[in-house]
Amino acid sequence: MTTNIAVVAEGMKYEAEEYKRRYDEIQRTKERELKEANDNYKPGSKMLIERTEQIKNACDSTLTRLKVEAADRALQDVEALREQELFRVQSINEPLLAKIRAIANIPMTSLELKAFAAKIGAKGDYWASRALSDIAEQNGIDPEEIGIESTYDTKMSVLDQLTDQLNRIFKYYGTNDLEERPKVNYLYLSDEIVERAKQMYGGKVGRLSDSQKADKAYFTVRTQFTDIQKGIAISNVLRNAKGEVRNMLLCRLAEDNTISNMAAEFSGHYDEIASFKNGKAAEYRSAEKAMQDIRKIKDKTVIEQKAAELEDNTFFGDMFAKEQKQNADLYETLNGAGMETA
């Protein structure tokens, strides 16, 4: 049978909620029967002890059966999905990969790569997706922009985590454990967790921060061996880097003594990298440090004074304006009102 992550995740959530509902019913029944036994039998009598034991054993037996049946249903879907993914990893479409290899060393933009992926019908093919992801990273492109799916390891990790949460609900629901109780009641397999799992499984891991994007692009350059290889990598990642990501990446390149002048010249970005080595990197770091300090300040006058000190900084103005749009606390401190929402 075929299945998908939405069916599996929602199925686990259903089994968890159904188990909680049945657990509560069984506990209420147990409490009612125990009360009846205490009302009908003499305290401490053999009959009361036997009836009490009978009620508790019946409750435990029913709960055990519920766990086993629910786990079996959920794990059948999980194993079916694992088998599907394993089959996809073991299947290789050589003609499709050949088309991807043909453009592997050609610098390109995200729009070009996205158009190419759509043209060759790469969606749904595991190894085509992996190959395109590698090309995207070589060019400093976020794989999410072109719809690249998650790796096999990521998918298996998502399934493992969902399964672990279901098992923890079976184990700890109704517990007095102060650490586990709130997680079981409000966190494990919640709507947010299930939706996040579906997104991660499908390759939508959430947008990377500018700093993370710059780090990934820099790592692509840093792992090359020769000056020519580094030059090509620099050219590729800067082609698709804009705004803050570009500034952060240029800072990293300028501050790295292993990036030679030859590599910078070969990339075609020698002057830009040199400008950061000769002062722009320090200027950017100064603006970055000032912004970090401002985020901690709650006094409007102090913030405005600090901003005024950076008036001549090439980068601070844009950085400060962007922060006010994204940081509700800073906006409120400066404007005395909450941020407007569209």
Side-chain angles (χ1 to χ4, degrees), residues 170-184:
F170 291 155
K171 181 177 181 180
Y172 291 109
Y173 186 67
T175 183
N176 290 321
D177 187 310
L178 295 179
E179 183 177 347
E180 285 291 337
R181 189 165 187 169
K183 295 177 183 177
V184 169

Side-chain angles (χ1 to χ4, degrees), residues 285-314:
R285 294 305 189 196
S286 177
E288 198 174 42
K289 175 64 167 60
M291 224 30 270
Q292 290 174 356
D293 292 341
I294 285 173
R295 291 188 187 106
K296 303 173 186 176
I297 300 172
K298 302 301 180 183
D299 186 288
K300 178 181 178 181
T301 302
V302 177
I303 292 175
E304 290 175 341
Q305 289 175 346
K306 197 162 189 67
E309 294 171 5
L310 275 288
E311 187 177 359
D312 295 329
N313 187 291
T314 305

Side-chain angles (χ1 to χ4, degrees), residues 1-12 73-85 88 155 159 201:
M1 80 175 175
T2 59
T3 187
N4 58 57
I5 185 59
V7 170
V8 170
E10 292 295 342
M12 284 190 175
R73 287 191 296 269
L75 293 180
Q76 280 180 12
D77 286 338
V78 171
E79 291 310 310
L81 189 52
R82 287 187 191 276
E83 289 178 10
Q84 283 177 211
E85 296 297 349
R88 293 181 66 237
K155 291 180 176 181
L159 292 178
Y201 196 95

